[in-house]
Amino acid sequence: MDYVKKLLGAEEIFDRPEPLKGVRVLEVCSVVLGPSATDYLAEFGAEVIKFEAKRGDQMRYVTPYAFFWKNLSPGLLEQNHNKYWVGMHLGHPKARELFYEFVKRSDVVVDNLTPGRLSKWGVSYDRLREINPKIIQLHVSGFGSWGPYTGRTSYDAIAQSEGGLAYITGFEGRGPLKSGVWIADWTTALMCAIAIVAALNYRERTGEGQYIDYSQVENVIRFLDWTWAYVDMTGENRERVGNRDLAICPSDLFDCKDGWIAIVAFTEEEFRGLCQAMGRMDLYEKYADPLERLKDENARLILKEIAEWTKGKTAREVEELADRYGFAASHVVDVEEAYYSEHLRERGAIMEYDDPLYGEFVEPCYPPRMETPSRLKWGARPIGFDNEFVLTKYLGLSMDEIEALYEEGVIYRWNPDVPPQCPPPDWDGKRGLKFP
Amino acid sequence: MEERTIVGMALDPQYARFIYNETNPDDVMRKPEAIDDMVVLDMSYGNYAGIFASSILAELGAEVIRIEPPEGDIARKMTPYGIMVKDAGLAYLTEGRNKLHITLNIETEEGREILKKLVKKADVLIESFRPGYMDSLGIGYKQLKEINPGLIYCAVNTYGQFGKDARERANQPDYDLTDQARGVVMSVTGEPELDPEVPQEYKKPLKHGNWMGWYAGGAWAAFGILLAMFYKRKTGKGQLIDAAPPEGMLAISNYLMQYFHLTKKKMVRAGNFDYAVFPYTYVRCKDGYTFMSGFTDPNWAALCEIMNRPDLQKQFPTIRERLTPENQPKIQHEIEKFTMNYTAAELLDIVTEYSRRPDKKGTVVTGRLNSPRDVLEVEHFKIKRMFVKLKDPHYGEVLVPNSTLRFMSRTPGRVKWVCRPIGADNEYIYGKYLGISGKKLEQLKEKGVV
């Protein structure tokens, strides 16, 4: 473990290489799904340039209990790190010309607008591949860019409901529930990032770019393990069964003295361990075979016995027994525990950084832990915050040219009357600016 | 016909047709594969994070060789109610796609020697044993790296390969439920804590119905492997990847940690409510449930107009009124008074019609809450071939979800075959890579090595 810690531990993250160094990504995204896809790339070293419409990313206004920190919405921060922020709307003809210039110098273009919106603005794949044949363009939407449902607006919760996830989530005999987080957004974005890196791998082999169309509802469907084979084979629906697992037994969440404890033991050996810990070798003798345990009647009986047993135990006691006897047990970790977890900090799964604009933050840093690790450099920015830096560095524009673009309304900054677009109220006009 | 099935409700029909031509499902099998130069050894055991990771790689063309112990991977038996099709359960049939299956007993000296020889030819090794187990057999990352410096070694475990909890809990296997329990998201999933109508017994954390811990964890592992492979193509170097599924959940737990950091307050379980966006909820309707939203001020105005309830807009005019746990059940109740009169399909028509009005106040979004059986009947998914029913020479007809990466224009993901029996590819793989066949293979079998 010391060897592994030396390779992957949090202390030397900034001394290690970035796998996506030199990969430039243009983001024309809003809300969670698109921006998180590029955030995954940005934390692994890609240079992500984010183009925002005049009102800005919708997440500037989405925040729990309407809470803002120095004008910043925590909902915007969560999927926007290490990015360069440009206020520019691609609907403007001159902005489009500038965007083409960026495309020449970039590797990836990502958008999650309504399918076809970009093509209306002249930024479709047939045009982009003329400008840069190696470009990889990804579009992600609820239902994809063609088909009967294309063009329908989708949100995370729609993907959860139309794709069948909400139906199978919930307690037995109670209503369907959505996830506590925007799970369809995050996991779809992850598969988008996978598609992009796969395309980068292919391009590295052949020099060829490509277009990727990805659908959020499909992604939810894909993640539902054995559901589809089961429904097709039996004609039955997959119903809600709370925390019980119909394909692994025992696997459930049990009440204990001081809260809840998740227990799982599927192999014969693990189940023997659990039965030993419980002092119930009679259960082991009867149900050693994992397939026997999965029969509904047996499963209910076994789970009931375990529930009786855990009532008299604390979560910690069960966890220690699990470690001793080789089955799995864990209490439910909440955000407070994760925040203070020595383990997660040691691993760099949670990282502290001092943002020049907003001060100290503590946030999760994307997995997995690698020798070419992810890292947090800075957080979200006001609209158009990096205009000058990006336009000079990548396009070589002069300050006069940039000034003219502001005057023509091609580029813009935050509206001072709309706080969620703005720098912190106490901003000194310099902190965090990369240029000038 | 084509208009409706291809163009649907597209904003730009020409674009829809163009993308259809670029990503036509009929062409998938004739196109190249993104990573068909990669060899992946998946020796994960009883672990669908590892198996899903290798599924993604296999859909993209990698040669994935599953290495099972001689009696087979226990993951084959993880199946609802114990339903088996020969030697594979339904989950395993779903994720056996495009993979080759060999057996190898790594607890024998000879088995380990064979593994080392295979590692020489491989780009990736995936395992999910307890941390330290592979090391103790002399085939951990440190040792295998010596044999093949280009090896990408991906280890999957709940607690990871290092860190305080990994030291204390090294004897625990990785499972979906414990991954979800440690992933923070579960702590805020479940029936609403602050709704007085919810009986106390249901006020507890809830896992996602599927193996979300494993699938998200597996996707993160595949992401790491592809990143490492991209890096290897440039530098020739392999590396160690430590994929702990709970970290995969924590990393996507919305703003929970940001909010806690700034306020030292925790979010509570909200059920179908949402304390950052509301209304954004499932509501009851005539034929079940449907999603209904209108959470920004203009969109809320639009929803109130659709419901013909200007009084509601007056009562809850801004997000400050709509984001409180006290008001959300009230608003929900009022919306249901309207939606209970219609089916989900009728509500979609009403909303779509409103969205075309030039004087609309905002955007309202709705969508049916489908049961899995409903999903299989949706025309859109049929046309897009979201599901494939393959006739497998061994397992018969099996329906599985298609690769969601199949709309990559140049290198679409695909499902070529469903699954293989235990050890089905021993002859092929051992012959191809190590020249072990015929009598030699028979001997290994007799010795219990394969």
Side-chain angles (χ1 to χ4, degrees), chain B residues 29 68 84 155 238 252 351 357 383 385 401 407 414 445 450:
Chain B
M29 296 300 181
E68 300 178 84
M84 297 290 284
I252 58 174
V351 164
R357 272 172 52 178
I383 287 168
R385 292 181 220 170
F407 301 115
R414 65 201 71 177
K445 242 181 233 170
V450 307

Side-chain angles (χ1 to χ4, degrees), chain B residues 403-424:
Chain B
S403 170
T404 52
L405 300 162
R406 70 192 181 284
F407 301 115
M408 296 176 76
S409 68
R410 187 74 193 136
T411 60
R414 65 201 71 177
V415 181
K416 292 180 278 194
W417 65 82
V418 175
C419 192
R420 294 265 209 262
I422 300 167

Side-chain angles (χ1 to χ4, degrees), chain A residues 115-129:
Chain A
R117 181 76 68 200
L118 277 191
S119 87
K120 287 250 180 209
W121 295 336
V123 188
S124 65
Y125 179 60
D126 50 344
R127 182 82 187 88
L128 297 192
R129 73 180 162 195

